[in-house]
Amino acid sequence: MNSIKCECGHVNPEGTVLCEACGKPIEGNQHIDGNDKKKLLNMRYEGSARRSNTYNKTIIDKIWNFFSSVKIAVWLIVIALIASSIGTIFPLEQYIPADAVSRDPSVFYEATYGLAGKIFYQLGFHQLYSSWWYLLLIASIGVSLVICSIDRFVPLYRALKRQKAKRHESFLSRLRFYSETESVQEEEIKQVKEQLAKQRYNVKEEDGHIVAEKGRFSRWGPYVNHIGLIIILIAAMLRLSPIFFFEEYVWVREGELRVIPGTDNEYFIENKQFILDTYDADDERFKDALQKEGRVVPSNFQTNAIIYRAIESEVVGAEQELEKVDEFEIRMNEPAKFGGYTLYQQGYQLNEFSEMTFKLYEMNDPDTEPLGEFTVDLFDPDLEYELDNGFKVEIAEFYPDYTISEEGVRSKTNSSNNPAFVFKLYPPNSEDAEISFVGDVIGTAEQMGIDPEVVDLSPMGQVIGTFTPSIDPTGGENNYRILIDSIDFDRKSGLNVKRDYTLPIFIIGAIIFMAGVLQGMYWQHRRIWIHPKNNGILLAAHTNKNWFGLKKDIEKAIEGTSINIVNDQKED
Amino acid sequence: MQSLIQTSSTMLFTAFIIYLVATLFFGFTIKDKLTDKRNSKLAGKIAITLTIIGFIAHLIYFVTRWLASGHAPVSNMFEFVTFLGMCLVLAFIIIWFIYKFNLLGLFALPIAMLFIAYASMFPTEVAPLVPSLKSHWLYIHVTTVAVGSGILFISFVAGLIYLLRNVDQTERNKRSISLEVVMYLIFLLIGFIVASTAFGAMDYHASFEYTNNDKVQTTDYTLPPIAAPHNGTLLTEDVMKPWFESPSWMRGADAGRKFNSVIWSFIVGTILYGIVRLILRKRVAAAIQPLLQHVKPDLLDEINYRSVAIGFPVYTLGGLIFAAIWAQEAWGRFWGWDPKEVWALITWFFYAAYLHLRLSRGWHGERSAWLAVIGFGIILFNLIVVNLVLAGLHSYA
């Protein structure tokens, strides 16, 4: 390395712009910080030797220089900003609403948003934030963070550590705040020193040369906050591994005991009760808003659950024994935590159909006794039901989650949320079947003004059943009709299961980041130099921000002395 | 209970009026050099005192409404936007005591008043909290975000004054036109408030029935329907027939009504702007410029930067860190790429870029001022467009 010896005796590394000790501009290097064209010195990094400004030969130098540029960093940020905004034009894949035309992205975007939607989907923007190019962009920001910080921190640290109280005149006179005073008494300088110390400046003296400094630690703020950000990015990377993070979803019916998925059959959950509370429409505080809303507003979702843990049985093949871990009331914003896992109240369903009983009547005579009845287990429907008196019912079509739209009749999901059937009814000893459509209890309830999302249908099941359509979809005239007689409902609670070991890393990263930002933003690094010359002094000062504050400090320090206040030599 | 709510809304109105009077007094300080300096100083003192009194009234609104509803009034669009206005005033008061700069009040207070007026266009009833909002993090997250935004708004105010003072109005170029567009946008917001208030006073209503996601819904227009919902039928009789239908790609609940409000804002705002232009016979910005000649641009730049330096960490804490902690408690995922979250990140990216640009020469002064104006636009975009159009988990209204 070609080091440079300054006239003050200090040996500076290659590429130094201002001597680390005395600040004297080093000949031949002034173009690096643009000092050759200006009167004022560029003090951003104390004129220290930054690798990126010194070497530019090998490929490593080139890469280093590319990522160490603040200009490139800002461009990366701006590109990330624009890219992120694109992903909000239409909902992401995971936010396609449940009641959308289709939850298949290849259908949804085009059907809902037309050509723009199609382009959005084809460019992969429905999963933009996990696309390779977005991740690459974020990774480049990460690389830029590291290289920018190292490139500046190391030489800056050196320069600030080696700075001397005695500075070169050509350095002081080219600072933004500078003044000369012809004659100054010894006493006055002493007074200034005391004043500065009172203002919590750290005053150092060296053969009559004085430097008063405070808030140097704020110079490290940017590097500290960059460390915080890097830790956050590392945590985000770790989160991609299933060791650190996994997520599952489980539905548990009331009274049901289930293994919690993802726990290797270790933990079990029993749903004792699911509670849905709603606001009272007559509540004095909220009645106006509730009236305007026009629907029931829930106030609480809650699963009362018991968590069990499986104990390894000592006898091989014996039945697993369960040991109670704890009881929880799991609510929104109040998850259950046990053994490193967390359970979140996520969804619920009040009216899941489990069993429906139908009765058969003669068409024109509803008052008569039913001709027969049959019960369908919705979790396991049979193909055929033989009735007592020789009738036979065949299930021709079964829609567990019936809906009708422009595209016709279909089942939205495979869960029995709103069952509907097309039955073939064979009268005794007959080969010809009558066709009946029966079902859509939820649609009927909604038409009656009941909101099945928040109202238990179970007490009204039978009543609604009698209003539910039972028609011949082919338009023919039937001799018999099939009516819903009773419905058994389940209430189930949807819980999110998570285990996330990256959380503490994120929290540490966030704390370090905030500490760094505060350190860099809320404090300033202020330095005031007094340089004796003949009978008088040169007074100069520098700060990285808040020049008004620095000036006030100086005014206070020199009050009552003959020392001239510094001039602001700022150009442009 | 009702009397508390009554007190609360009276206090909000009082605050609004006091801010108006305080603005006038800040206006009196403007002729610093021409008239007696002592008068101007006195006017400034009266103005800041009034601002503080107005802020206290605003605070009483907040506290009484909290007492009445049992939760911090930051849970819907009306409450949140009102609170943002309050934070803007708070930030202004703090900055005033640092720099004793009166002119800032002349611009900051009217913007705070626009916030209050805009908030009042949304339903003002005290609404109950849905389970997902029932958490202490609601108060912590929302208030920190609002305080951070309020401080960042001050950078916009300083930036705007800087531009009004420094952009050369003798020439018709990109800069003077862009600045005039900013002025025009402010007129559009005023247009929205004027139209809503006028038809609100007449108690105007028109209902439509339309289909959204295979469901038949009704929507209530409080402004005469120029644009009907897509495939909507008018239910109310004796009201203006809509001129045309909203395009089919505007989907979602009430899309037609929102589109109609936007059209009205444009019509009324443009008329107001046109009248002002006719009276002034020059650009609005050019008319304001002579009033600002004695202001030091350096001070404006300093305030602009200072507010970002103070506001950015507060915004980061509230809008990203507290937000993530709450999302973790409520949904088990601290980050979900919900549009509101993404736009908070975009805001953060933007101000991070601003702070990095300040490191390079040539980005102080006017360029910083433009950045502050754009930053304000991004925050407002997140507040208005994301809430009302790109509905996600945060859609309030």
Side-chain angles (χ1 to χ4, degrees):
Chain A
M1 225 197 288
N2 309 315
S3 34
I4 308 155
K5 191 166 181 186
C6 177
E7 66 174 47
C8 71
H10 182 73
V11 179
N12 293 291
E14 188 183 350
T16 305
V17 182
L18 305 174
C19 169
E20 291 171 334
C22 76
K24 179 171 187 276
I26 289 168
E27 231 169 284
N29 282 347
Q30 293 315 299
H31 60 281
I32 295 175
D33 280 350
N35 292 337
D36 45 351
K37 297 196 187 77
K38 302 249 180 187
K39 186 190 175 226
L40 289 191
L41 295 173
N42 182 349
M43 286 288 286
R44 180 68 55 204
Y45 305 105
E46 303 284 315
S48 58
R50 287 160 50 203
R51 187 189 196 286
S52 59
N53 288 343
T54 312
Y55 304 102
N56 191 19
K57 290 213 180 72
T58 64
I59 181 88
I60 294 173
D61 293 340
K62 298 244 155 82
I63 295 174
W64 182 274
N65 296 355
F66 177 79
F67 281 110
S68 68
S69 152
V70 173
K71 209 166 148 194
I72 296 292
V74 171
W75 271 112
L76 290 174
I77 294 174
V78 170
I79 295 170
L81 181 160
I82 294 166
S84 305
S85 68
I86 292 171
T88 63
I89 298 174
F90 298 130
L92 296 176
E93 193 177 17
Q94 67 262 36
Y95 290 120
I96 296 176
D99 57 357
V101 190
S102 164
R103 299 210 64 179
D104 178 359
S106 61
V107 180
F108 168 77
Y109 291 98
E110 193 179 353
T112 315
Y113 305 105
L115 182 64
K118 192 177 173 182
I119 296 170
F120 189 86
Y121 170 71
Q122 282 179 343
L123 292 175
F125 292 164
H126 60 298
Q127 29 186 274
L128 188 149
Y129 305 110
S130 47
S131 65
W132 63 269
W133 61 269
Y134 189 81
L135 295 181
L136 191 68
L137 188 58
I138 300 296
S140 324
I141 292 180
V143 172
S144 163
L145 276 174
V146 175
I147 293 184
C148 274
S149 305
I150 296 174
D151 190 56
R152 289 166 176 78
F153 172 76
V154 176
L156 178 65
Y157 179 79
R158 266 178 66 106
L160 286 175
K161 208 177 152 199
R162 289 174 196 187
Q163 61 168 333
K164 292 211 171 106
K166 184 175 178 180
R167 288 295 175 120
H168 200 269
E169 266 188 62
S170 63
F171 169 80
L172 296 176
S173 61
R174 289 176 73 184
L175 291 177
R176 184 170 153 183
F177 278 1
Y178 176 71
S179 73
E180 294 175 16
T181 311
E182 287 294 322
S183 93
V184 178
Q185 302 292 318
E186 193 80 6
E187 273 305 299
E188 289 177 321
I189 293 180
K190 207 179 150 205
Q191 188 193 330
V192 172
K193 262 166 52 186
E194 277 166 12
Q195 268 301 326
L196 286 171
K198 225 185 237 173
Q199 292 185 56
R200 303 224 199 122
Y201 276 83
N202 183 6
V203 183
K204 269 197 308 192
E205 197 168 349
E206 207 177 295
D207 332 317
H209 297 260
I210 296 165
V211 58
E213 180 176 15
K214 84 173 171 190
R216 188 197 289 186
F217 87 112
S218 92
R219 292 291 283 274
W220 316 132
Y223 312 106
V224 173
N225 84 47
H226 286 175
I227 291 172
L229 288 177
I230 290 160
I231 293 175
I232 289 173
L233 287 177
I234 290 172
M237 250 160 58
L238 291 177
R239 209 161 183 270
L240 298 174
S241 128
I243 305 164
F244 286 94
F245 175 77
F246 87 87
E247 172 173 25
E248 291 278 352
Y249 199 87
V250 60
W251 284 101
V252 208
R253 300 192 174 85
E254 260 181 359
E256 193 183 16
L257 179 75
R258 289 203 103 171
V259 66
I260 300 175
T263 64
D264 291 333
N265 293 325
E266 193 185 353
Y267 287 98
F268 289 74
I269 180 168
E270 184 183 0
N271 180 351
K272 299 287 282 182
Q273 193 190 5
F274 176 77
I275 299 170
L276 170 79
D277 294 320
T278 57
Y279 284 101
D280 179 2
D282 297 325
D283 187 311
E284 208 194 337
R285 287 176 298 175
F286 305 131
K287 63 183 176 204
D288 292 344
L290 288 171
Q291 208 176 356
K292 209 169 204 178
E293 190 80 8
R295 61 182 184 91
V296 183
V297 176
S299 68
N300 180 30
F301 312 126
Q302 179 179 337
T303 308
N304 291 347
I306 303 177
I307 302 293
Y308 297 96
R309 190 173 172 200
I311 311 168
E312 285 299 316
S313 181
E314 305 208 340
V315 187
V316 181
E319 217 170 83
Q320 235 177 358
E321 263 183 74
L322 292 180
E323 170 197 59
K324 182 170 151 184
V325 177
D326 209 345
E327 279 186 46
F328 292 97
E329 293 182 352
I330 310 171
R331 293 188 195 88
M332 203 78 216
N333 282 309
E334 291 173 43
K337 293 176 186 167
F338 56 88
Y341 300 96
T342 316
L343 277 180
Y344 297 89
Q345 182 70 55
Q346 199 84 355
Y348 68 91
Q349 193 183 353
L350 290 182
N351 301 302
E352 185 195 39
F353 295 71
S354 62
E355 236 180 42
M356 290 170 95
T357 302
F358 299 90
K359 279 185 178 167
L360 183 64
Y361 296 91
E362 239 174 282
M363 181 56 92
N364 298 321
D365 200 5
D367 295 333
T368 50
E369 287 294 301
L371 299 169
E373 68 169 73
F374 63 99
T375 299
V376 178
D377 177 352
L378 288 156
F379 301 125
D380 185 18
D382 292 339
L383 282 177
E384 268 184 22
Y385 296 86
E386 301 273 351
L387 275 61
D388 294 343
N389 44 14
F391 284 90
K392 196 176 81 178
V393 176
E394 203 184 292
I395 300 184
E397 295 281 353
F398 170 43
Y399 307 100
D401 192 358
Y402 169 84
T403 184
I404 185 163
S405 64
E406 287 159 15
E407 290 106 64
V409 168
R410 63 189 174 97
S411 186
K412 268 195 285 193
T413 64
N414 290 325
S415 317
S416 58
N417 298 333
N418 183 25
F421 300 88
V422 175
F423 290 124
K424 276 186 181 167
L425 173 70
Y426 294 90
N429 308 319
S430 167
E431 292 290 304
D432 297 325
E434 278 187 21
I435 297 177
S436 326
F437 170 86
V438 188
D440 191 20
V441 173
I442 296 295
T444 312
E446 279 171 353
Q447 272 175 17
M448 295 164 82
I450 301 162
D451 182 356
E453 292 274 306
V454 286
V455 178
D456 264 319
L457 293 180
S458 129
M460 306 173 254
Q462 202 175 353
V463 181
I464 298 171
T466 53
F467 285 101
T468 314
S470 168
I471 47 162
D472 182 352
T474 60
E477 277 191 24
N478 284 347
N479 294 321
Y480 304 98
R481 63 187 202 150
I482 300 169
L483 288 182
I484 298 169
D485 187 65
S486 66
I487 308 168
D488 281 349
F489 291 102
D490 275 327
R491 292 151 63 90
K492 59 179 186 177
S493 171
L495 299 161
N496 210 327
V497 189
K498 298 220 170 160
R499 190 185 62 192
D500 192 346
Y501 290 141
T502 64
L503 280 182
I505 312 178
F506 276 104
I507 292 170
I508 291 169
I511 291 173
I512 294 178
F513 171 77
M514 277 314 292
V517 170
L518 294 181
Q519 181 180 341
M521 292 286 169
Y522 290 7
W523 277 271
Q524 303 99 30
H525 181 213
R526 296 175 180 174
R527 270 171 301 172
I528 301 167
W529 290 275
I530 297 176
H531 185 103
K533 188 183 181 187
N534 307 330
N535 288 328
I537 59 156
L538 308 180
L539 180 65
H542 181 76
T543 178
N544 55 346
K545 62 174 76 76
N546 191 6
W547 294 84
F548 286 79
L550 176 61
K551 194 156 194 180
K552 270 189 214 157
D553 279 359
I554 300 172
E555 278 165 3
K556 219 170 173 183
I558 60 172
E559 209 180 309
T561 66
S562 61
I563 300 170
N564 295 330
I565 183 67
V566 289
N567 299 313
D568 190 342
Q569 310 193 83
K570 193 186 171 195
E571 297 152 328
D572 50 54
Chain B
M1 198 65 75
Q2 284 305 320
S3 69
L4 261 183
I5 295 175
Q6 192 61 48
T7 315
S8 169
S9 45
T10 315
M11 281 332 254
L12 183 60
F13 185 67
T14 313
F16 185 87
I17 299 294
I18 297 177
Y19 291 152
L20 182 67
V21 181
T23 308
L24 293 178
F25 276 96
F26 278 123
F28 295 145
T29 66
I30 210 169
K31 288 177 182 166
D32 257 338
K33 289 270 156 68
L34 303 176
T35 54
D36 185 5
K37 261 219 152 161
R38 206 184 295 158
N39 278 345
S40 147
K41 258 199 167 160
L42 182 68
K45 269 190 185 153
I46 296 174
I48 191 67
T49 314
L50 281 172
T51 309
I52 293 168
I53 296 171
F55 180 76
I56 291 169
H58 209 152
L59 204 62
I60 296 174
Y61 142 81
F62 188 78
V63 173
T64 45
R65 192 169 168 100
W66 188 331
L67 290 174
S69 67
H71 59 256
V74 287
S75 67
N76 61 27
M77 201 65 177
F78 162 71
E79 293 173 341
F80 181 65
V81 176
T82 312
F83 185 66
L84 261 186
M86 187 165 135
C87 291
L88 172 58
V89 177
L90 175 67
F92 163 68
I93 294 173
I94 294 170
I95 297 287
W96 190 91
F97 278 99
I98 301 178
Y99 295 101
K100 304 269 167 27
F101 183 44
N102 287 324
L103 194 76
L104 202 62
L106 186 61
F107 288 81
L109 286 186
I111 291 172
M113 283 156 61
L114 278 181
F115 271 96
I116 300 174
Y118 178 70
S120 313
M121 303 302 130
F122 293 92
T124 56
E125 292 89 1
V126 176
L129 285 186
V130 294
S132 58
L133 292 183
K134 280 192 169 172
S135 167
H136 289 300
W137 287 103
L138 171 68
Y139 318 145
I140 303 169
H141 157 62
V142 181
T143 49
T144 329
V145 172
V147 171
S149 309
I151 302 170
L152 292 173
F153 289 169
I154 294 291
S155 83
F156 158 72
V157 176
L160 185 66
I161 301 177
Y162 188 100
L163 294 176
L164 286 171
R165 185 195 177 282
N166 282 32
V167 169
D168 182 5
Q169 292 292 350
T170 57
E171 256 182 280
R172 191 184 154 81
N173 56 20
K174 243 196 296 181
R175 293 149 73 225
S176 61
I177 292 172
S178 310
L179 182 59
E180 196 60 13
V181 169
V182 174
M183 303 312 289
Y184 174 64
L185 290 174
I186 295 174
F187 272 89
L188 292 191
L189 182 59
I190 299 173
F192 172 69
I193 292 164
V194 168
S196 308
T197 314
F199 286 105
M202 291 169 4
D203 201 25
Y204 185 94
H205 287 284
S207 301
F208 281 91
E209 201 173 74
Y210 65 105
T211 337
N212 179 35
N213 283 329
D214 301 333
K215 277 185 193 145
V216 177
Q217 292 180 332
T218 55
T219 181
D220 182 36
Y221 279 48
T222 50
L223 294 170
I226 293 173
H230 185 65
N231 282 334
T233 30
L234 186 62
L235 300 179
T236 321
E237 287 169 7
D238 300 329
V239 294
M240 188 178 95
K241 294 271 174 295
W243 299 358
F244 59 89
E245 255 183 23
S246 311
S248 59
W249 53 266
M250 287 196 176
R251 287 166 194 256
D254 295 330
R257 195 189 69 200
K258 290 166 189 165
F259 181 48
N260 192 52
S261 305
V262 171
I263 295 175
W264 269 102
S265 315
F266 267 95
I267 293 176
V268 180
T270 308
I271 293 172
L272 288 175
Y273 178 77
I275 295 172
V276 173
R277 277 297 289 263
L278 274 180
I279 297 171
L280 296 173
R281 296 188 175 278
K282 54 180 132 178
R283 287 188 211 106
V284 176
I288 298 174
Q289 192 162 51
L291 300 175
L292 306 173
Q293 281 322 304
H294 65 272
V295 185
K296 285 195 210 110
D298 266 7
L299 179 65
L300 290 168
D301 188 52
E302 168 86 11
I303 295 176
N304 176 348
Y305 174 64
R306 219 44 203 305
S307 346
V308 177
I310 301 172
F312 178 76
V314 180
Y315 185 88
T316 309
L317 193 66
L320 295 170
I321 297 179
F322 289 163
I325 296 174
W326 187 15
Q328 180 67 31
E329 277 305 291
W331 298 301
R333 97 281 180 291
F334 55 88
W335 192 260
W337 300 106
D338 166 74
K340 191 87 175 177
E341 287 171 350
V342 175
W343 278 93
L345 181 68
I346 290 172
T347 312
W348 185 82
F349 273 147
F350 182 83
Y351 283 104
Y354 171 106
L355 290 169
H356 284 93
L357 284 174
R358 291 284 304 197
L359 297 177
S360 26
R361 281 179 177 170
W363 278 89
H364 293 223
E366 185 170 328
R367 281 185 174 180
S368 284
W370 281 115
L371 289 179
V373 171
I374 297 170
F376 181 70
I378 293 178
I379 298 179
L380 282 201
F381 184 90
N382 200 2
L383 176 69
I384 298 172
V385 182
V386 174
N387 273 13
L388 303 182
V389 184
L390 309 172
L393 297 166
H394 285 76
S395 60
Y396 283 132

